[in-house]
Amino acid sequence: MKQLVKVFSAFAIAVGLFGCIAAPIEMTPQTQQGLRTQAPIRFLLTFDDGPSASGFYNPTVTVLDSLARNPLQPDIKAVFFVQTRASRAGGSDMGRQIMRREHAEGHLLGFHTATPRHTNHRSLDPEELEQSLTDGSADIAAITNASPTLVRPPFWNYDKRTFAAYQQHGMHVLLTDLSANDGKIWGFNASPRRRANMLRQVSEVRERIALGELPTVDGVIPVVVTFHDLNRYTARHTREYLQILLDSASAAGLVTAQKAFYDDTAALQRAAMARTVHDSSEAVELPGIWNWLWDGDAH
């Protein structure tokens, strides 16, 4: 039965990638009125699953280069949720070198996993989870001289038990508002409807902004976006994705701040912390089918 669920889930995601993306939500007079009282938005970029350990055309390095130098805004800062013990990620010499670069360039290192593979934390027993959190915190602190304050559970999936464990380690759960749907699906590595996907999701977030559901931090509303820096397609198209975000915001009727992306580490940290989940029972909004995937005892 579990295998059937996995196959169906993968099929549903693949179908979404190939074309079954709903049209953007139409702007209503009520939404227009609500937006007039809201601050402009700023995109808070996050990247999961890295850093890549590849010695050939390293995708994480390409992402870092694109954030530093692009036609829209130089020196963009992001949150990288890292796998610190995966052999093809942060558990390698290359991975540790890249994490040091990420920190040196003003990006934030958040915790993702410290297991050999990309493992759902809910599948770990208490001792395994504690070991993973302890190891990951130490791995990141060895680079930044501080324990991580941000955690993104793999697959955005957590429950009361894992949430409490994060809290004990001083970690705060940061989910997402927008997803590029750029993860590999059974070896699939592309995003044929990336603009339609982003525009639909931005229109959904716009409705939440109009209702006043997202906080204002330092005069702007942080909108969290998720990519995967292990994905070579994402790496090759990072600059395009930045433009897609701006185009989608404009098409959806949202006003972006003069600086549409974070370029200050301290401001990035404040914004990320303001968007974290404060209680395991707190209702959350995830893009696409992710809320549907998890059962009733997950967040």
Side-chain angles (χ1 to χ4, degrees), residues 14-146:
V15 168
L17 283 171
F18 274 111
C20 293
I21 298 173
I25 299 173
E26 292 187 13
M27 176 85 79
T28 65
Q30 292 84 353
T31 296
Q32 282 185 315
Q33 181 64 32
L35 291 176
R36 292 193 183 100
T37 62
Q38 299 299 321
I41 69 167
R42 178 172 291 156
F43 292 110
L44 195 167
L45 304 183
T46 68
F47 293 85
D48 289 3
D49 295 354
S52 171
S54 175
F56 173 74
Y57 186 69
N58 186 287
T60 303
V61 169
T62 302
V63 167
L64 290 171
D65 291 343
S66 297
L67 294 178
R69 295 178 296 278
N70 63 79
L72 300 177
Q73 185 179 324
D75 297 321
I76 295 172
K77 311 304 180 191
V79 183
F80 286 86
F81 288 100
V82 294
Q83 299 190 75
T84 67
R85 298 280 170 116
S87 61
R88 295 185 179 181
S92 65
D93 290 339
M94 174 71 77
R96 286 185 286 272
Q97 178 182 333
I98 292 174
M99 286 192 289
R100 287 192 288 269
R101 173 182 169 180
E102 289 169 344
H103 174 63
E105 294 184 358
H107 303 288
L108 296 178
L109 294 184
F111 176 70
H112 200 42
T113 71
T115 49
R117 294 177 178 82
H118 189 266
T119 304
N120 190 328
H121 291 168
R122 295 178 67 197
S123 69
L124 300 176
D125 64 35
E127 293 75 17
E128 291 172 327
L129 179 60
E130 175 63 25
Q131 189 65 57
S132 178
L133 293 171
T134 299
D135 290 343
S137 183
D139 295 338
I140 292 173
I143 294 171
T144 66
N145 294 316

Side-chain angles (χ1 to χ4, degrees), residues 240-268:
E240 180 190 0
Y241 272 118
L242 298 178
Q243 186 65 59
I244 287 173
L245 286 170
L246 295 183
D247 293 345
S248 298
S250 176
L254 287 171
V255 176
T256 55
Q258 183 176 6
K259 290 186 176 182
F261 306 94
Y262 284 89
D263 61 3
D264 179 82
T265 306
L268 176 65

